[in-house]
Amino acid sequence: RVVYRLPLGGLGRALGPLGVVGFEPMFRYRHRQTKKLLE
């Protein structure tokens, strides 16, 4: 589990849901790449 707080105070909190959209694909990609390396 990763806990991350966006910068910019209230503005960062307002944009928080958009950050999740960016993080999920990044972690899926990294998971696939790591799995390939370990197989």
Side-chain angles (χ1 to χ4, degrees), residues 4 6 12-14 18 23 27 29 34 36:
Y4 181 80
L6 294 172
R13 283 190 297 279
L18 297 175
F23 282 124
F27 282 111
Y29 171 78
T34 301
K36 280 184 195 177

Side-chain angles (χ1 to χ4, degrees), residues 9-22:
L11 181 60
R13 283 190 297 279
L15 297 175
L18 297 175
V20 172
V21 171

